């Protein structure tokens, strides 16, 4: 008899999904990550995606969609959730951005209705990273959210740090937004509202607290807690692997790895030329088939159309390079860039191998290539040491 998933996580971007998958794996779970477009309109998915895994993580790209598109995609994914949870108890978790980005209220309200929850506890705080909620205001290491670089986010600029101002219709939709200044506050919120009718939604620290509780109370691991998969252990990536690194986030910082860096030409950034022209100028590079970093050195354009354009160009470049030679290891920084790239490549199902640092997760695609994903605002940890 196959081992059905005990928990299903729905994330609004793929790096957030990978972060959750990495945490679950580090706690000893068997975890598979799938992209929502591998679920068809009837709710069907590859049987291997749900078999033999304690936790299934479904990555969507709803944060990059319009609100109407995000609602429609959430409804579509919900048909899959209903199909696989109709005859068994499954705990659901909605992963949202820890900097309040995305169509949060619209997606939560849609998901609550679909799975029959009467309320949501929304806790995007990550106290372990200095991201807390105090008196209804969100702080990152003591600085109000709207005074950080997230104020310049091209799609969801942080114009306020007050949750009720950012989400004015949350309470009327049944969404509770408690304070959380430490880990104990997260555990207290779960214990207070864990009644079987509440959807929990938020960032990685809330998921970790929920995972710990369900492992103990609901015997998530078949009545025995498995040993943790050690974070930072030696990876399965070959030591002489060919590597392609895509730095597509507005939060990207220079890596200084001694690997050739190819910056997006200004004419491409400005939209005067496309990925084909960038690749044509690059393809004579002597290290093209071994190691390469693609970056975007300019940041003076913003807005949704620009963000979509830039990630589309990066995905196009990745497609050109992978067509020339499939790398042993593909590393992508930035959720929207990761989604666009993996969709362009047709890679939609992954086995989680290791969490190399918080939010930095190594997976294996069906084609055999190792894929590491990282949110743009997170540090690399010991990834390159």
């Amino acid at each position: 008899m196959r081992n059905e998933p005990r928990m299903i996580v729905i994330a609004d971007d793929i790096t957030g999904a990978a972060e959750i998958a990495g945490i679950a794996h580090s706690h000893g779970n068997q975890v598979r990550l799938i992209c929502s477009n591998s679920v068809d309109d009837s709710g069907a998915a590859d049987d291997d995606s749900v078999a033999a895994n304690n936790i299934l993580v479904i990555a969507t790209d709803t944060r990059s969609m319009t609100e109407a598109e995000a609602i429609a995609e959430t409804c579509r994914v919900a048909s899959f959730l209903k199909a696989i949870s109709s005859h068994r108890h499954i705990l659901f978790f909605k992963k949202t951005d820890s900097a309040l980005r995305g169509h949060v209220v619209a997606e939560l309200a849609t998901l609550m209705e679909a799975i029959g929850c009467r309320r949501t506890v929304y806790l995007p705080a990550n106290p372990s990273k200095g991201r807390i909620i105090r008196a209804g205001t969100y702080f990152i290491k003591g600085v109000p959210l709207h005074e950080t670089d997230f104020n310049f986010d091209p799609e969801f600029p942080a114009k306020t740090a007050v949750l009720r101002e950012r989400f004015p219709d949350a309470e009327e939709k049944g969404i509770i937004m408690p304070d959380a200044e430490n880990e104990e506050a997260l555990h207290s919120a779960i214990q207070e509202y864990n009644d079987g009718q509440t959807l929990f939604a938020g960032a990685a620290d809330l998921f970790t607290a929920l995972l710990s509780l369900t492992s103990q109370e609901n015997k998530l691991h078949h009545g025995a807690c498995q040993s943790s998969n050690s974070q930072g252990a030696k990876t399965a990536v070959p030591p002489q692997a060919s590597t392609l690194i895509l730095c597509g986030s507005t939060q990207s910082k220079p890596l200084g790895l001694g690997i050739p860096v190819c910056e997006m030409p200004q004419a491409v950034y400005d939209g005067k030329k496309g990925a084909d022209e960038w690749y044509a100028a690059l393809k004579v590079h002597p290290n093209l088939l071994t190691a390469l970093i693609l970056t975007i050195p300019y940041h003076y354009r913003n807005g949704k159309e620009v963000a979509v354009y830039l990630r589309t160009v990066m995905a196009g470049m990745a497609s050109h390079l992978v067509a020339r030679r499939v790398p042993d290891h593909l590393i992508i920084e930035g959720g929207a860039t990761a989604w666009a790239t993996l969709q362009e490549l047709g890679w939609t199902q992954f086995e989680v191998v290791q969490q190399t640092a918080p939010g930095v997760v190594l997976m294996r695609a069906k084609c055999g290539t190792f894929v590491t994903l990282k949110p743009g605002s997170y540090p690399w940890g010991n990834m390159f040491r």
Side-chain angles (χ1 to χ4, degrees):
M1 182 177 179
R2 74 182 188 179
N3 178 24
E4 300 286 358
R6 267 64 176 177
M7 183 186 292
I8 296 178
V9 180
I10 308 95
D12 66 355
D13 86 319
I14 195 166
T15 50
E19 177 183 19
I20 292 299
I23 292 169
H25 182 268
S26 70
H27 281 73
N29 292 283
Q30 294 173 294
V31 188
R32 182 169 291 272
L33 185 151
I34 66 173
C35 297
S36 60
N37 65 329
S38 66
V39 178
D40 65 31
D41 291 336
S42 68
D46 186 333
D47 194 59
D48 289 341
S49 298
V50 295
N53 294 279
N54 295 107
I55 297 179
L56 176 66
V57 182
I58 304 174
T60 73
D61 190 40
T62 51
R63 194 187 303 172
S64 295
M65 298 178 180
T66 65
E67 184 172 294
E69 291 169 341
I71 291 172
E73 178 66 359
T74 300
C75 287
R76 193 183 69 81
V77 172
S79 65
F80 171 64
L81 303 180
K82 290 178 181 178
I84 65 175
S85 64
S86 58
H87 302 296
R88 63 191 69 87
H89 174 70
I90 292 178
L91 180 65
F92 294 102
F93 181 83
K94 181 68 166 73
K95 168 65 172 70
T96 64
D97 181 52
S98 64
L100 313 186
R101 295 174 295 182
H103 308 290
V104 175
V105 171
E107 289 188 46
L108 291 179
T110 301
L111 190 57
M112 274 193 291
E113 182 178 358
I115 63 177
C117 288
R118 65 186 181 91
R119 67 185 170 198
T120 291
V121 171
Y122 172 53
L123 266 171
N126 262 343
S128 67
K129 298 178 178 66
R131 301 184 177 197
I132 67 169
I133 303 170
R134 179 189 301 132
T137 300
Y138 197 99
F139 296 89
I140 296 181
K141 296 182 179 179
V143 180
L145 180 65
H146 66 287
E147 296 179 14
T148 70
D149 286 346
F150 287 105
N151 182 46
F152 306 105
D153 185 84
E155 296 182 78
F156 296 97
K159 298 305 180 185
T160 178
V162 180
L163 268 70
R164 288 188 177 182
E165 294 177 358
R166 170 66 179 87
F167 308 112
D169 56 342
E171 290 187 359
E172 66 184 62
K173 301 283 188 180
I175 300 170
I176 301 168
M177 300 182 290
D179 283 356
E181 296 190 49
N182 49 47
E183 183 179 342
E184 289 72 22
L186 300 176
H187 283 276
S188 296
I190 293 171
Q191 291 171 344
E192 179 178 356
Y193 294 106
N194 190 24
D195 57 5
Q197 300 182 55
T198 300
L199 172 66
F200 288 95
D205 281 7
L206 180 65
F207 174 76
T208 302
L210 186 63
L211 185 65
S212 175
L213 180 66
T214 54
S215 295
Q216 297 171 18
E217 295 185 355
N218 301 326
K219 300 184 182 297
L220 185 62
H221 309 309
H222 302 285
C225 185
Q226 301 177 17
S227 61
S228 295
N229 296 312
S230 61
Q231 177 175 303
K234 185 177 180 180
T235 71
V237 179
Q240 300 301 321
S242 59
T243 304
L244 174 61
I245 303 176
L246 308 180
C247 297
S249 170
T250 58
Q251 307 286 326
S252 295
K253 302 293 190 298
L255 294 177
L257 301 177
I259 295 175
V261 176
C262 182
E263 297 181 342
M264 178 182 289
Q266 188 169 5
V268 176
Y269 179 82
D270 289 337
K272 298 176 182 178
K273 295 183 178 180
D276 291 346
E277 287 81 3
W278 186 7
Y279 177 70
L282 173 67
K283 65 182 180 181
V284 296
H285 200 292
N287 292 308
L288 184 60
L289 300 182
T290 54
L292 192 66
I293 302 175
L294 301 184
T295 66
I296 305 175
Y298 309 103
H299 303 288
Y300 54 81
R301 301 179 69 198
N302 53 38
K304 183 174 179 61
E305 289 185 2
V306 173
V308 171
Y309 166 75
L310 293 177
R311 62 179 173 252
T312 300
V313 170
M314 289 290 276
M317 279 294 292
S319 180
H320 281 308
L321 293 167
V322 170
R324 181 164 176 172
R325 176 183 175 181
V326 179
D328 297 311
H329 195 181
L330 174 63
I331 302 172
I332 312 176
E333 181 181 30
T337 298
W339 179 271
T341 299
L342 296 175
Q343 297 307 303
E344 179 73 21
L345 297 175
W347 299 355
T348 60
Q349 299 191 27
F350 305 89
E351 171 197 358
V352 178
V353 176
Q354 178 186 318
Q355 178 181 240
T356 60
V360 185
V361 180
L362 175 70
M363 307 183 294
R364 183 185 288 107
K366 278 195 166 184
C367 67
T369 293
F370 289 95
V371 177
T372 292
L373 304 182
K374 184 190 82 71
S377 60
Y378 281 32
W380 288 101
N382 294 323
M383 174 75 184
F384 301 112
R385 296 178 187 173

